[in-house]
Amino acid sequence: MDDALGMLVVAFAVMSAIGLVGIILMFRLQSQNARTAVLCGMSAFGVPLAGLYLSSLPTNFTDERMLAWCVGGLSVLGLVVQLCGKGSKRASLLARLLVSAMVALGIIALFWL
């Protein structure tokens, strides 16, 4: 039992580190192509993160499960905004904010819920 909990702590720490580094890179990189690549990677990281959050809830927690779907939808919405914005600075900022919010909320939800 001790080993399983230790592995979960390590997995959570790795997911938190990936999320933190990805969010920092999304806002600190100067190249638009690099920012778009990190945004796509963080969006791809966010979908399984939301799925993990969703699968950790019992089936009778309907409200919380709908919240998990909405949090996961932020990642997809951010990616759609980025791809449809075609170089617009406002669209790029909105997409980065949506994906950052999704990753942060997903990690917080896994930790506290």
Side-chain angles (χ1 to χ4, degrees), residues 76-91:
V76 175
L77 184 63
L79 190 59
V80 168
V81 167
Q82 176 68 28
L83 295 176
C84 291
K86 302 245 188 223
S88 168
K89 289 188 184 230
R90 285 182 164 226

Side-chain angles (χ1 to χ4, degrees), residues 51-64:
L52 187 61
Y53 171 41
L54 181 67
S55 68
S56 71
L57 296 169
T59 56
N60 61 341
F61 282 29
T62 307
D63 295 340
E64 289 84 358

Side-chain angles (χ1 to χ4, degrees), residues 2-106:
D2 228 9
D3 291 332
L5 291 178
M7 286 189 282
L8 283 175
V9 168
V10 169
F12 180 75
V14 168
M15 286 188 300
S16 298
I18 290 171
L20 183 64
V21 168
I23 289 171
I24 290 171
L25 285 176
M26 271 196 298
F27 289 98
R28 299 292 292 173
L29 288 174
Q30 298 298 322
S31 168
Q32 181 65 28
N33 290 338
R35 274 195 304 223
T36 302
V38 171
L39 181 109
C40 291
M42 291 306 294
S43 183
F45 172 70
V47 171
L49 186 65
L52 187 61
Y53 171 41
L54 181 67
S55 68
S56 71
L57 296 169
T59 56
N60 61 341
F61 282 29
T62 307
D63 295 340
E64 289 84 358
R65 291 176 67 88
M66 291 303 293
L67 179 66
W69 279 107
C70 291
V71 167
L74 288 176
S75 182
V76 175
L77 184 63
L79 190 59
V80 168
V81 167
Q82 176 68 28
L83 295 176
C84 291
K86 302 245 188 223
S88 168
K89 289 188 184 230
R90 285 182 164 226
S92 178
L93 178 64
L94 179 62
R96 288 182 282 155
L97 288 173
L98 286 169
V99 172
S100 297
M102 186 279 139
V103 171
L105 288 172

